[in-house]
Every structure is written in structure tokens, then in C-alpha cells.
Amino acid sequence: MSRAKAYAAITAKAPVGPFSFERREPRDHDVAIDIQYCGICHSDIHQARDEWGGSIFPMVPGHEIVGVVRSVGAKVSRFKVGDRAGVGVLVDSCHTCAQCRQGLEQYCTGGQVPTYNGREHDGTPTMGGYSDKIVVHEDFVLRMPANLPPDAAAPLLCAGVTLYSPLMHWKAGPGKRVGIVGLGGLGHMGVKLAHAMGAEVTVLSHSLAKADDGRRMGADHFHATSDEATFTRLEGYFDLLINTVSADMDWNKYLNLLKVDGTMVLVGIPEKQVPVGALPLVFRRRSLAGSAIGSLKETQEMLDFCGKHNIVCDIELTPIQKINECWERILKSDVRYRFVIDMASL
Ligand code: NAP
Ligand code: ZN
């Protein structure tokens, strides 16, 4: 065992503060990583505040992790000491359920192990990337493209793949009109990725404040959802809408923006249930769908795609001591566009 320094939420009500705990010694197939950077995902806040229920405390959040391999277990073949390595939202799965056998670990039903706020198969609570080190089975460690700066690439491990996966699954590309709802951490990755895939990209943001940024990222069009005229102007326009918002909103209004056979994919996760009417779906054969992160294979594919197209996140680097302030700013939609913790500050 080795002692890890970290920041943790001790209860759902407490601010995040300094903490320490034991990481396991690397087993045969484990990679031990010194963490350099960790992105701050909105999910960190939802879970640390127990907004989805069932949170495990104390909680060390963080699932957008980039670092350098410090040591490897005897049987590790894919990584060596000194390699740059990434860890995303999962650190293990059951390996035997129908989804795992198809390479869809993100939908594992037999015992998925999230990077934090979960339990290893032996019951040990998992602790995430707001810490100085992590030990992970090599199958759940990603290779980071050498040409991408490691701090700005860290959020690709959750925000990047969470948009890449539905864009690929619903075939965003030339001739497709893709709308990204909410230009935050996830949304801005959606704009960059969909643009690189060749789709026509529209941002639906609550105001026009981020319009210049959106265009710089590759958006062809930018509309404010505070302007009701947006919903009449764009009725029946989109092939695919990806909704990253977790605040209260009327999904029915957005469903009306889809063409016949269009799909709105939810990736944002509101705390409350949202009522959906049959009408906007039935009379245009539209679909409402959801999507969770991506598989390990897809995550690697997304990283390689970003390496090839030189895509990284727009980040604000922060010392870990400012974590509570960062969270408040995320809640106010006041981040351009992802906070990343510089772990040297720990
Ligand atoms: P974020 O950076 O906070 O972005 C959310 C965006 O929602 C904001 O930037 C804002 O964009 C928009 N928004 C609309 N109404 C808002 C309001 N009233 N208050 C604040 N923002 C509002 O969050 P994120 O990290 O991208 O995560 C978004 C959601 O996805 C969260 O619920 C998170 O838990 C979830 N998530 C899901 C997955 C998955 O696998 N499905 C993975 C990671 C995260 P505008 O200013 O442009 O309107
Ligand atoms: Zn996340």
C-alpha cells in the first residue's frame, strides 16, 4: 500500500478539502500512475453533493486523469515506466456480461467499477483523480497522443468521449445537421468533434454570450434559447441534437427541432424527472435517446482522432486549493470551458 494525497468531500454538505488514503500496491496487470492533471467534470459536483443518490463518502472525485507511469506489474505489456497515460470514467467492469463481451463496458450490467464513487470487486471504495497517484488495471488505461498538451487533453477522457460516442453512433458527418445544446465542458467538445467529422454544427446556448467562442470552435450557427423565436425558426431542422444540459428545461420544445427520424440524445443528467409528451415524437417518428461515456476501445479511438485533428479542450488550469470556487463557477456556467487541476499544487 502507499499513501496518496488528495482532496475529498467528506459528506454531501461539506466543501472539498485535503485528505489522504491508501492506494493498493500494483498487481500483476496494474499500472501505477503519478497524476499530473485532472479535469473537473460537472458529474463530480452531482456525485459529491449526492444529487443522483447512493454516493459513497469520503469521496475523492475526478475521472479525467492524465499522468506518467511510475511502475508496472509483472505482467503488464502495454505500458512501461515513464509513458504518458490516461484514465477516464471506468477502472474495471465484470468482463463477462453481454455488453462487456461486445466491448461496451460503459453499459456493463454485471459490476461496473467507476473511477470514483464506486467499489472494486473486493468492495474497496474507488477514489478518483483529485489525488497525486492512482493504480489501474492496464486494460482501463489509455494512451495519450504525444502531440497533445497533457493538461488540455485530460478532459477528453470524459467530456471528449461522451460526445464522440453518440456522434459516431448516430453517424454525424457530411450532410448531417447536428445541434449541440449547452456550450459547457461536454458541449464545446461536441462542437469541435462534430465539426472535425464534417457535420454542419449549430450551438443552442442560453444566451449569445459564447457565440464568438462557438464559431472559433467550429460552429456554423449559434442561437440563444432565451429567444423564443429560435424554437419556431429551427422547427424540423436537425438530424441529431445532443443535449448536455442538466438544468431544468422542456425537452418537448427541443424534440420539435428535429426532422422526421431525427434523434435527441441526452448526455446531461438532470436531478429531476422530465415530462415528455408523445406528440412531438409520434408525428415525426423522432427518437429520444441517452448515451453514457464510451467504451475503452472507443475512448482510445477518440484520443487518436483528436491527436490526428489536433483537438483539445479549452481549459482554465487551477490549483487544487481553489476547487470549491471552481465548482461554484461551473454551476453558474462561468467556465471557458473546462477547469483542469494542476496536481503539482497538491
Ligand atoms: P457544464 O460544463 O456545467 O456545462 C453545462 C452547460 O449547460 C452550461 O455550460 C450551459 O451552457 C448549459 N446550461 C443550460 N442551462 C443552464 C443553467 N440554468 N445553469 C447552468 N448551465 C446551464 O457541465 P458538463 O461537465 O459539460 O456536464 C453536463 C452534464 O453532463 C452534467 O449533467 C454531467 O453530469 C453530465 N455528464 C454525462 C456524461 C455521460 O456519460 N452521459 C458524462 C459526463 C457528464 P450554455 O451557457 O451554453 O447554455
Ligand atoms: Zn465526467
Side-chain angles (χ1 to χ4, degrees), residues 9 12 16 40-52 55 57 59 61-63 116 130 323-332 339:
V16 180
I40 303 180
C41 179
H42 202 125
S43 304
D44 300 349
I45 309 174
H46 288 307
Q47 294 179 83
R49 298 191 173 169
D50 201 13
E51 289 169 357
W52 298 335
S55 284
F57 295 98
M59 182 191 300
H63 58 206
Y116 70 87
Y130 294 10
I323 192 81
N324 295 294
E325 265 171 64
C326 293
W327 283 17
E328 287 314 313
R329 283 186 51 200
I330 292 171
L331 293 174
K332 285 188 282 192
F339 285 114

PDB file of all heavy atoms in Angstrom, residues 9 12 16 40-52 55 57 59 61-63 116 130 323-332 339:
ATOM      1  N   ALA A   9     -14.518  15.063  -0.612  1.00  0.00           N
ATOM      2  CA  ALA A   9     -15.752  15.503   0.042  1.00  0.00           C
ATOM      3  C   ALA A   9     -16.026  14.478   1.146  1.00  0.00           C
ATOM      4  O   ALA A   9     -16.092  13.287   0.868  1.00  0.00           O
ATOM      5  CB  ALA A   9     -16.900  15.540  -0.953  1.00  0.00           C
ATOM      6  N   ALA A  12     -22.001  14.999   1.846  1.00  0.00           N
ATOM      7  CA  ALA A  12     -22.620  15.694   0.703  1.00  0.00           C
ATOM      8  C   ALA A  12     -22.747  17.193   0.947  1.00  0.00           C
ATOM      9  O   ALA A  12     -22.923  17.967   0.004  1.00  0.00           O
ATOM     10  CB  ALA A  12     -23.993  15.091   0.432  1.00  0.00           C
ATOM     11  N   VAL A  16     -15.072  20.603  -0.330  1.00  0.00           N
ATOM     12  CA  VAL A  16     -13.999  19.640  -0.593  1.00  0.00           C
ATOM     13  C   VAL A  16     -12.722  20.145   0.085  1.00  0.00           C
ATOM     14  O   VAL A  16     -12.424  21.328   0.026  1.00  0.00           O
ATOM     15  CB  VAL A  16     -13.795  19.518  -2.120  1.00  0.00           C
ATOM     16  CG1 VAL A  16     -12.688  18.534  -2.434  1.00  0.00           C
ATOM     17  CG2 VAL A  16     -15.101  19.068  -2.771  1.00  0.00           C
ATOM     18  N   ILE A  40     -12.129  18.816 -14.230  1.00  0.00           N
ATOM     19  CA  ILE A  40     -13.275  18.880 -13.312  1.00  0.00           C
ATOM     20  C   ILE A  40     -14.544  18.761 -14.145  1.00  0.00           C
ATOM     21  O   ILE A  40     -14.860  19.638 -14.949  1.00  0.00           O
ATOM     22  CB  ILE A  40     -13.300  20.209 -12.524  1.00  0.00           C
ATOM     23  CG1 ILE A  40     -11.984  20.382 -11.751  1.00  0.00           C
ATOM     24  CG2 ILE A  40     -14.506  20.232 -11.589  1.00  0.00           C
ATOM     25  CD1 ILE A  40     -11.929  21.679 -10.939  1.00  0.00           C
ATOM     26  N   CYS A  41     -15.237  17.645 -13.964  1.00  0.00           N
ATOM     27  CA  CYS A  41     -16.476  17.366 -14.700  1.00  0.00           C
ATOM     28  C   CYS A  41     -17.662  17.769 -13.832  1.00  0.00           C
ATOM     29  O   CYS A  41     -17.603  17.664 -12.608  1.00  0.00           O
ATOM     30  CB  CYS A  41     -16.520  15.864 -15.010  1.00  0.00           C
ATOM     31  SG  CYS A  41     -17.991  15.332 -15.900  1.00  0.00           S
ATOM     32  N   HIS A  42     -18.742  18.200 -14.468  1.00  0.00           N
ATOM     33  CA  HIS A  42     -19.946  18.552 -13.700  1.00  0.00           C
ATOM     34  C   HIS A  42     -20.446  17.346 -12.890  1.00  0.00           C
ATOM     35  O   HIS A  42     -21.031  17.505 -11.819  1.00  0.00           O
ATOM     36  CB  HIS A  42     -21.034  19.056 -14.659  1.00  0.00           C
ATOM     37  CG  HIS A  42     -22.067  19.919 -13.994  1.00  0.00           C
ATOM     38  ND1 HIS A  42     -22.378  21.183 -14.422  1.00  0.00           N
ATOM     39  CD2 HIS A  42     -22.860  19.685 -12.922  1.00  0.00           C
ATOM     40  CE1 HIS A  42     -23.320  21.691 -13.639  1.00  0.00           C
ATOM     41  NE2 HIS A  42     -23.631  20.805 -12.717  1.00  0.00           N
ATOM     42  N   SER A  43     -20.164  16.146 -13.369  1.00  0.00           N
ATOM     43  CA  SER A  43     -20.562  14.940 -12.633  1.00  0.00           C
ATOM     44  C   SER A  43     -19.881  14.861 -11.267  1.00  0.00           C
ATOM     45  O   SER A  43     -20.420  14.256 -10.341  1.00  0.00           O
ATOM     46  CB  SER A  43     -20.186  13.678 -13.413  1.00  0.00           C
ATOM     47  OG  SER A  43     -20.761  13.707 -14.687  1.00  0.00           O
ATOM     48  N   ASP A  44     -18.692  15.450 -11.142  1.00  0.00           N
ATOM     49  CA  ASP A  44     -18.010  15.459  -9.836  1.00  0.00           C
ATOM     50  C   ASP A  44     -18.903  16.155  -8.802  1.00  0.00           C
ATOM     51  O   ASP A  44     -19.026  15.703  -7.658  1.00  0.00           O
ATOM     52  CB  ASP A  44     -16.666  16.206  -9.917  1.00  0.00           C
ATOM     53  CG  ASP A  44     -15.692  15.586 -10.924  1.00  0.00           C
ATOM     54  OD1 ASP A  44     -15.967  14.475 -11.411  1.00  0.00           O
ATOM     55  OD2 ASP A  44     -14.660  16.234 -11.217  1.00  0.00           O
ATOM     56  N   ILE A  45     -19.510  17.260  -9.243  1.00  0.00           N
ATOM     57  CA  ILE A  45     -20.356  18.041  -8.328  1.00  0.00           C
ATOM     58  C   ILE A  45     -21.644  17.271  -8.018  1.00  0.00           C
ATOM     59  O   ILE A  45     -22.031  17.122  -6.856  1.00  0.00           O
ATOM     60  CB  ILE A  45     -20.690  19.429  -8.945  1.00  0.00           C
ATOM     61  CG1 ILE A  45     -19.401  20.124  -9.403  1.00  0.00           C
ATOM     62  CG2 ILE A  45     -21.478  20.285  -7.961  1.00  0.00           C
ATOM     63  CD1 ILE A  45     -19.623  21.429 -10.155  1.00  0.00           C
ATOM     64  N   HIS A  46     -22.303  16.751  -9.070  1.00  0.00           N
ATOM     65  CA  HIS A  46     -23.543  15.973  -8.858  1.00  0.00           C
ATOM     66  C   HIS A  46     -23.301  14.873  -7.823  1.00  0.00           C
ATOM     67  O   HIS A  46     -24.101  14.664  -6.928  1.00  0.00           O
ATOM     68  CB  HIS A  46     -23.977  15.256 -10.144  1.00  0.00           C
ATOM     69  CG  HIS A  46     -24.526  16.135 -11.238  1.00  0.00           C
ATOM     70  ND1 HIS A  46     -25.556  17.025 -11.046  1.00  0.00           N
ATOM     71  CD2 HIS A  46     -24.222  16.211 -12.562  1.00  0.00           C
ATOM     72  CE1 HIS A  46     -25.850  17.615 -12.214  1.00  0.00           C
ATOM     73  NE2 HIS A  46     -25.042  17.137 -13.150  1.00  0.00           N
ATOM     74  N   GLN A  47     -22.177  14.158  -7.959  1.00  0.00           N
ATOM     75  CA  GLN A  47     -21.954  12.991  -7.095  1.00  0.00           C
ATOM     76  C   GLN A  47     -21.492  13.394  -5.700  1.00  0.00           C
ATOM     77  O   GLN A  47     -21.944  12.828  -4.705  1.00  0.00           O
ATOM     78  CB  GLN A  47     -20.952  12.036  -7.747  1.00  0.00           C
ATOM     79  CG  GLN A  47     -21.534  11.428  -9.021  1.00  0.00           C
ATOM     80  CD  GLN A  47     -20.560  10.488  -9.709  1.00  0.00           C
ATOM     81  OE1 GLN A  47     -20.439   9.326  -9.367  1.00  0.00           O
ATOM     82  NE2 GLN A  47     -19.828  11.019 -10.675  1.00  0.00           N
ATOM     83  N   ALA A  48     -20.611  14.400  -5.614  1.00  0.00           N
ATOM     84  CA  ALA A  48     -20.130  14.832  -4.292  1.00  0.00           C
ATOM     85  C   ALA A  48     -21.273  15.438  -3.484  1.00  0.00           C
ATOM     86  O   ALA A  48     -21.251  15.428  -2.258  1.00  0.00           O
ATOM     87  CB  ALA A  48     -18.986  15.820  -4.444  1.00  0.00           C
ATOM     88  N   ARG A  49     -22.285  15.964  -4.172  1.00  0.00           N
ATOM     89  CA  ARG A  49     -23.443  16.535  -3.465  1.00  0.00           C
ATOM     90  C   ARG A  49     -24.591  15.531  -3.401  1.00  0.00           C
ATOM     91  O   ARG A  49     -25.712  15.876  -3.049  1.00  0.00           O
ATOM     92  CB  ARG A  49     -23.863  17.848  -4.123  1.00  0.00           C
ATOM     93  CG  ARG A  49     -22.710  18.841  -4.028  1.00  0.00           C
ATOM     94  CD  ARG A  49     -23.051  20.259  -4.385  1.00  0.00           C
ATOM     95  NE  ARG A  49     -21.900  21.106  -4.080  1.00  0.00           N
ATOM     96  CZ  ARG A  49     -21.768  22.373  -4.464  1.00  0.00           C
ATOM     97  NH1 ARG A  49     -22.725  22.936  -5.163  1.00  0.00           N
ATOM     98  NH2 ARG A  49     -20.701  23.051  -4.133  1.00  0.00           N
ATOM     99  N   ASP A  50     -24.313  14.313  -3.795  1.00  0.00           N
ATOM    100  CA  ASP A  50     -25.271  13.203  -3.739  1.00  0.00           C
ATOM    101  C   ASP A  50     -26.575  13.521  -4.478  1.00  0.00           C
ATOM    102  O   ASP A  50     -27.655  13.131  -4.047  1.00  0.00           O
ATOM    103  CB  ASP A  50     -25.557  12.817  -2.279  1.00  0.00           C
ATOM    104  CG  ASP A  50     -26.112  11.387  -2.173  1.00  0.00           C
ATOM    105  OD1 ASP A  50     -26.045  10.643  -3.172  1.00  0.00           O
ATOM    106  OD2 ASP A  50     -26.652  11.041  -1.104  1.00  0.00           O
ATOM    107  N   GLU A  51     -26.462  14.208  -5.615  1.00  0.00           N
ATOM    108  CA  GLU A  51     -27.680  14.602  -6.344  1.00  0.00           C
ATOM    109  C   GLU A  51     -28.311  13.434  -7.099  1.00  0.00           C
ATOM    110  O   GLU A  51     -29.465  13.517  -7.504  1.00  0.00           O
ATOM    111  CB  GLU A  51     -27.347  15.748  -7.311  1.00  0.00           C
ATOM    112  CG  GLU A  51     -27.066  17.043  -6.555  1.00  0.00           C
ATOM    113  CD  GLU A  51     -26.481  18.154  -7.424  1.00  0.00           C
ATOM    114  OE1 GLU A  51     -26.220  17.928  -8.622  1.00  0.00           O
ATOM    115  OE2 GLU A  51     -26.279  19.250  -6.882  1.00  0.00           O
ATOM    116  N   TRP A  52     -27.543  12.361  -7.340  1.00  0.00           N
ATOM    117  CA  TRP A  52     -28.118  11.198  -8.031  1.00  0.00           C
ATOM    118  C   TRP A  52     -28.441  10.087  -7.035  1.00  0.00           C
ATOM    119  O   TRP A  52     -28.933   9.027  -7.420  1.00  0.00           O
ATOM    120  CB  TRP A  52     -27.150  10.671  -9.108  1.00  0.00           C
ATOM    121  CG  TRP A  52     -26.838  11.652 -10.201  1.00  0.00           C
ATOM    122  CD1 TRP A  52     -27.610  12.705 -10.620  1.00  0.00           C
ATOM    123  CD2 TRP A  52     -25.665  11.674 -11.034  1.00  0.00           C
ATOM    124  NE1 TRP A  52     -26.989  13.372 -11.657  1.00  0.00           N
ATOM    125  CE2 TRP A  52     -25.798  12.760 -11.932  1.00  0.00           C
ATOM    126  CE3 TRP A  52     -24.512  10.878 -11.128  1.00  0.00           C
ATOM    127  CZ2 TRP A  52     -24.836  13.068 -12.897  1.00  0.00           C
ATOM    128  CZ3 TRP A  52     -23.559  11.188 -12.083  1.00  0.00           C
ATOM    129  CH2 TRP A  52     -23.713  12.275 -12.960  1.00  0.00           C
ATOM    130  N   SER A  55     -24.395   8.060  -3.061  1.00  0.00           N
ATOM    131  CA  SER A  55     -22.971   8.412  -3.067  1.00  0.00           C
ATOM    132  C   SER A  55     -22.239   7.774  -1.889  1.00  0.00           C
ATOM    133  O   SER A  55     -22.805   7.565  -0.817  1.00  0.00           O
ATOM    134  CB  SER A  55     -22.797   9.931  -3.010  1.00  0.00           C
ATOM    135  OG  SER A  55     -23.084  10.496  -4.267  1.00  0.00           O
ATOM    136  N   PHE A  57     -19.093   8.095   0.749  1.00  0.00           N
ATOM    137  CA  PHE A  57     -18.185   9.087   1.358  1.00  0.00           C
ATOM    138  C   PHE A  57     -17.216   8.406   2.314  1.00  0.00           C
ATOM    139  O   PHE A  57     -17.588   7.395   2.892  1.00  0.00           O
ATOM    140  CB  PHE A  57     -18.998  10.164   2.091  1.00  0.00           C
ATOM    141  CG  PHE A  57     -19.849  10.993   1.154  1.00  0.00           C
ATOM    142  CD1 PHE A  57     -21.206  10.700   0.982  1.00  0.00           C
ATOM    143  CD2 PHE A  57     -19.281  12.034   0.432  1.00  0.00           C
ATOM    144  CE1 PHE A  57     -21.979  11.448   0.111  1.00  0.00           C
ATOM    145  CE2 PHE A  57     -20.061  12.785  -0.438  1.00  0.00           C
ATOM    146  CZ  PHE A  57     -21.416  12.498  -0.606  1.00  0.00           C
ATOM    147  N   MET A  59     -15.396  10.916  -0.482  1.00  0.00           N
ATOM    148  CA  MET A  59     -15.292  10.761  -1.930  1.00  0.00           C
ATOM    149  C   MET A  59     -14.164  11.631  -2.482  1.00  0.00           C
ATOM    150  O   MET A  59     -14.146  12.837  -2.268  1.00  0.00           O
ATOM    151  CB  MET A  59     -16.616  11.195  -2.580  1.00  0.00           C
ATOM    152  CG  MET A  59     -16.624  11.018  -4.104  1.00  0.00           C
ATOM    153  SD  MET A  59     -18.045  11.820  -4.870  1.00  0.00           S
ATOM    154  CE  MET A  59     -19.393  10.963  -4.090  1.00  0.00           C
ATOM    155  N   PRO A  61     -13.243  12.829  -5.898  1.00  0.00           N
ATOM    156  CA  PRO A  61     -13.759  12.829  -7.272  1.00  0.00           C
ATOM    157  C   PRO A  61     -12.627  12.871  -8.305  1.00  0.00           C
ATOM    158  O   PRO A  61     -11.447  12.915  -7.948  1.00  0.00           O
ATOM    159  CB  PRO A  61     -14.589  14.109  -7.338  1.00  0.00           C
ATOM    160  CG  PRO A  61     -14.691  14.626  -5.937  1.00  0.00           C
ATOM    161  CD  PRO A  61     -13.491  14.100  -5.212  1.00  0.00           C
ATOM    162  N   GLY A  62     -13.024  12.906  -9.575  1.00  0.00           N
ATOM    163  CA  GLY A  62     -12.045  13.095 -10.647  1.00  0.00           C
ATOM    164  C   GLY A  62     -11.933  11.903 -11.577  1.00  0.00           C
ATOM    165  O   GLY A  62     -11.476  10.838 -11.158  1.00  0.00           O
ATOM    166  N   HIS A  63     -12.350  12.087 -12.856  1.00  0.00           N
ATOM    167  CA  HIS A  63     -12.245  10.989 -13.816  1.00  0.00           C
ATOM    168  C   HIS A  63     -11.790  11.471 -15.203  1.00  0.00           C
ATOM    169  O   HIS A  63     -12.179  10.909 -16.212  1.00  0.00           O
ATOM    170  CB  HIS A  63     -13.534  10.153 -13.864  1.00  0.00           C
ATOM    171  CG  HIS A  63     -14.785  10.904 -14.212  1.00  0.00           C
ATOM    172  ND1 HIS A  63     -16.028  10.496 -13.818  1.00  0.00           N
ATOM    173  CD2 HIS A  63     -14.972  12.028 -14.934  1.00  0.00           C
ATOM    174  CE1 HIS A  63     -16.930  11.330 -14.283  1.00  0.00           C
ATOM    175  NE2 HIS A  63     -16.324  12.262 -14.977  1.00  0.00           N
ATOM    176  N   TYR A 116     -14.352   6.682  -9.423  1.00  0.00           N
ATOM    177  CA  TYR A 116     -14.591   7.096  -8.030  1.00  0.00           C
ATOM    178  C   TYR A 116     -16.076   6.911  -7.747  1.00  0.00           C
ATOM    179  O   TYR A 116     -16.867   6.714  -8.679  1.00  0.00           O
ATOM    180  CB  TYR A 116     -14.147   8.548  -7.790  1.00  0.00           C
ATOM    181  CG  TYR A 116     -15.003   9.598  -8.472  1.00  0.00           C
ATOM    182  CD1 TYR A 116     -16.149  10.120  -7.871  1.00  0.00           C
ATOM    183  CD2 TYR A 116     -14.683  10.065  -9.737  1.00  0.00           C
ATOM    184  CE1 TYR A 116     -16.941  11.069  -8.495  1.00  0.00           C
ATOM    185  CE2 TYR A 116     -15.459  11.014 -10.380  1.00  0.00           C
ATOM    186  CZ  TYR A 116     -16.585  11.516  -9.750  1.00  0.00           C
ATOM    187  OH  TYR A 116     -17.378  12.450 -10.373  1.00  0.00           O
ATOM    188  N   TYR A 130      -8.589  13.540  -8.067  1.00  0.00           N
ATOM    189  CA  TYR A 130      -8.166  14.713  -7.299  1.00  0.00           C
ATOM    190  C   TYR A 130      -7.117  14.225  -6.297  1.00  0.00           C
ATOM    191  O   TYR A 130      -7.248  14.405  -5.091  1.00  0.00           O
ATOM    192  CB  TYR A 130      -9.326  15.350  -6.533  1.00  0.00           C
ATOM    193  CG  TYR A 130     -10.455  15.983  -7.329  1.00  0.00           C
ATOM    194  CD1 TYR A 130     -10.581  15.822  -8.710  1.00  0.00           C
ATOM    195  CD2 TYR A 130     -11.421  16.767  -6.680  1.00  0.00           C
ATOM    196  CE1 TYR A 130     -11.635  16.404  -9.408  1.00  0.00           C
ATOM    197  CE2 TYR A 130     -12.471  17.353  -7.371  1.00  0.00           C
ATOM    198  CZ  TYR A 130     -12.570  17.170  -8.735  1.00  0.00           C
ATOM    199  OH  TYR A 130     -13.627  17.748  -9.408  1.00  0.00           O
ATOM    200  N   ILE A 323     -10.610  24.482  -5.553  1.00  0.00           N
ATOM    201  CA  ILE A 323     -11.622  23.572  -6.088  1.00  0.00           C
ATOM    202  C   ILE A 323     -13.062  24.015  -5.797  1.00  0.00           C
ATOM    203  O   ILE A 323     -13.922  23.968  -6.672  1.00  0.00           O
ATOM    204  CB  ILE A 323     -11.363  22.132  -5.567  1.00  0.00           C
ATOM    205  CG1 ILE A 323     -12.189  21.131  -6.316  1.00  0.00           C
ATOM    206  CG2 ILE A 323     -11.584  21.976  -4.106  1.00  0.00           C
ATOM    207  CD1 ILE A 323     -11.577  20.781  -7.610  1.00  0.00           C
ATOM    208  N   ASN A 324     -13.318  24.488  -4.564  1.00  0.00           N
ATOM    209  CA  ASN A 324     -14.710  24.858  -4.238  1.00  0.00           C
ATOM    210  C   ASN A 324     -15.185  26.058  -5.054  1.00  0.00           C
ATOM    211  O   ASN A 324     -16.335  26.102  -5.496  1.00  0.00           O
ATOM    212  CB  ASN A 324     -14.853  25.096  -2.732  1.00  0.00           C
ATOM    213  CG  ASN A 324     -14.618  23.807  -1.945  1.00  0.00           C
ATOM    214  OD1 ASN A 324     -15.388  22.858  -2.050  1.00  0.00           O
ATOM    215  ND2 ASN A 324     -13.524  23.755  -1.199  1.00  0.00           N
ATOM    216  N   GLU A 325     -14.260  27.021  -5.268  1.00  0.00           N
ATOM    217  CA  GLU A 325     -14.589  28.168  -6.136  1.00  0.00           C
ATOM    218  C   GLU A 325     -14.882  27.707  -7.569  1.00  0.00           C
ATOM    219  O   GLU A 325     -15.807  28.196  -8.215  1.00  0.00           O
ATOM    220  CB  GLU A 325     -13.362  29.085  -6.246  1.00  0.00           C
ATOM    221  CG  GLU A 325     -13.298  30.243  -5.312  1.00  0.00           C
ATOM    222  CD  GLU A 325     -11.913  30.892  -5.432  1.00  0.00           C
ATOM    223  OE1 GLU A 325     -11.578  31.409  -6.517  1.00  0.00           O
ATOM    224  OE2 GLU A 325     -11.168  30.841  -4.425  1.00  0.00           O
ATOM    225  N   CYS A 326     -14.058  26.792  -8.059  1.00  0.00           N
ATOM    226  CA  CYS A 326     -14.267  26.287  -9.426  1.00  0.00           C
ATOM    227  C   CYS A 326     -15.657  25.669  -9.541  1.00  0.00           C
ATOM    228  O   CYS A 326     -16.371  25.905 -10.519  1.00  0.00           O
ATOM    229  CB  CYS A 326     -13.228  25.226  -9.788  1.00  0.00           C
ATOM    230  SG  CYS A 326     -11.564  25.865  -9.918  1.00  0.00           S
ATOM    231  N   TRP A 327     -16.027  24.876  -8.565  1.00  0.00           N
ATOM    232  CA  TRP A 327     -17.346  24.236  -8.617  1.00  0.00           C
ATOM    233  C   TRP A 327     -18.458  25.282  -8.671  1.00  0.00           C
ATOM    234  O   TRP A 327     -19.409  25.141  -9.441  1.00  0.00           O
ATOM    235  CB  TRP A 327     -17.540  23.313  -7.396  1.00  0.00           C
ATOM    236  CG  TRP A 327     -16.810  22.012  -7.525  1.00  0.00           C
ATOM    237  CD1 TRP A 327     -15.806  21.715  -8.392  1.00  0.00           C
ATOM    238  CD2 TRP A 327     -17.035  20.821  -6.749  1.00  0.00           C
ATOM    239  NE1 TRP A 327     -15.386  20.420  -8.202  1.00  0.00           N
ATOM    240  CE2 TRP A 327     -16.114  19.851  -7.203  1.00  0.00           C
ATOM    241  CE3 TRP A 327     -17.911  20.484  -5.713  1.00  0.00           C
ATOM    242  CZ2 TRP A 327     -16.061  18.562  -6.662  1.00  0.00           C
ATOM    243  CZ3 TRP A 327     -17.856  19.211  -5.166  1.00  0.00           C
ATOM    244  CH2 TRP A 327     -16.939  18.259  -5.643  1.00  0.00           C
ATOM    245  N   GLU A 328     -18.337  26.341  -7.853  1.00  0.00           N
ATOM    246  CA  GLU A 328     -19.374  27.384  -7.869  1.00  0.00           C
ATOM    247  C   GLU A 328     -19.438  28.033  -9.246  1.00  0.00           C
ATOM    248  O   GLU A 328     -20.513  28.323  -9.768  1.00  0.00           O
ATOM    249  CB  GLU A 328     -19.111  28.445  -6.789  1.00  0.00           C
ATOM    250  CG  GLU A 328     -19.387  27.950  -5.364  1.00  0.00           C
ATOM    251  CD  GLU A 328     -20.712  27.203  -5.234  1.00  0.00           C
ATOM    252  OE1 GLU A 328     -21.743  27.688  -5.745  1.00  0.00           O
ATOM    253  OE2 GLU A 328     -20.708  26.092  -4.630  1.00  0.00           O
ATOM    254  N   ARG A 329     -18.271  28.264  -9.838  1.00  0.00           N
ATOM    255  CA  ARG A 329     -18.267  28.890 -11.171  1.00  0.00           C
ATOM    256  C   ARG A 329     -18.864  27.963 -12.232  1.00  0.00           C
ATOM    257  O   ARG A 329     -19.554  28.428 -13.148  1.00  0.00           O
ATOM    258  CB  ARG A 329     -16.850  29.322 -11.549  1.00  0.00           C
ATOM    259  CG  ARG A 329     -16.437  30.622 -10.825  1.00  0.00           C
ATOM    260  CD  ARG A 329     -15.090  31.126 -11.305  1.00  0.00           C
ATOM    261  NE  ARG A 329     -15.017  31.227 -12.751  1.00  0.00           N
ATOM    262  CZ  ARG A 329     -13.877  31.266 -13.443  1.00  0.00           C
ATOM    263  NH1 ARG A 329     -12.716  31.208 -12.809  1.00  0.00           N
ATOM    264  NH2 ARG A 329     -13.903  31.362 -14.747  1.00  0.00           N
ATOM    265  N   ILE A 330     -18.639  26.662 -12.121  1.00  0.00           N
ATOM    266  CA  ILE A 330     -19.243  25.718 -13.070  1.00  0.00           C
ATOM    267  C   ILE A 330     -20.764  25.798 -12.968  1.00  0.00           C
ATOM    268  O   ILE A 330     -21.470  25.846 -13.980  1.00  0.00           O
ATOM    269  CB  ILE A 330     -18.759  24.274 -12.803  1.00  0.00           C
ATOM    270  CG1 ILE A 330     -17.273  24.145 -13.149  1.00  0.00           C
ATOM    271  CG2 ILE A 330     -19.597  23.257 -13.587  1.00  0.00           C
ATOM    272  CD1 ILE A 330     -16.628  22.840 -12.731  1.00  0.00           C
ATOM    273  N   LEU A 331     -21.261  25.866 -11.725  1.00  0.00           N
ATOM    274  CA  LEU A 331     -22.718  25.910 -11.538  1.00  0.00           C
ATOM    275  C   LEU A 331     -23.326  27.163 -12.146  1.00  0.00           C
ATOM    276  O   LEU A 331     -24.490  27.178 -12.537  1.00  0.00           O
ATOM    277  CB  LEU A 331     -23.070  25.811 -10.044  1.00  0.00           C
ATOM    278  CG  LEU A 331     -22.726  24.458  -9.415  1.00  0.00           C
ATOM    279  CD1 LEU A 331     -22.951  24.484  -7.910  1.00  0.00           C
ATOM    280  CD2 LEU A 331     -23.550  23.332 -10.058  1.00  0.00           C
ATOM    281  N   LYS A 332     -22.519  28.240 -12.232  1.00  0.00           N
ATOM    282  CA  LYS A 332     -23.018  29.483 -12.839  1.00  0.00           C
ATOM    283  C   LYS A 332     -22.732  29.533 -14.328  1.00  0.00           C
ATOM    284  O   LYS A 332     -22.898  30.572 -14.959  1.00  0.00           O
ATOM    285  CB  LYS A 332     -22.368  30.687 -12.139  1.00  0.00           C
ATOM    286  CG  LYS A 332     -22.967  30.930 -10.751  1.00  0.00           C
ATOM    287  CD  LYS A 332     -22.472  32.229 -10.157  1.00  0.00           C
ATOM    288  CE  LYS A 332     -21.081  32.052  -9.623  1.00  0.00           C
ATOM    289  NZ  LYS A 332     -20.522  33.069  -8.801  1.00  0.00           N
ATOM    290  N   PHE A 339     -12.366  23.392 -16.303  1.00  0.00           N
ATOM    291  CA  PHE A 339     -11.281  23.526 -15.328  1.00  0.00           C
ATOM    292  C   PHE A 339     -10.459  22.254 -15.327  1.00  0.00           C
ATOM    293  O   PHE A 339     -11.022  21.150 -15.383  1.00  0.00           O
ATOM    294  CB  PHE A 339     -11.830  23.748 -13.924  1.00  0.00           C
ATOM    295  CG  PHE A 339     -12.373  25.119 -13.676  1.00  0.00           C
ATOM    296  CD1 PHE A 339     -13.727  25.313 -13.438  1.00  0.00           C
ATOM    297  CD2 PHE A 339     -11.524  26.231 -13.674  1.00  0.00           C
ATOM    298  CE1 PHE A 339     -14.235  26.584 -13.203  1.00  0.00           C
ATOM    299  CE2 PHE A 339     -12.027  27.501 -13.442  1.00  0.00           C
ATOM    300  CZ  PHE A 339     -13.384  27.681 -13.205  1.00  0.00           C
TER     301      PHE A 339
END
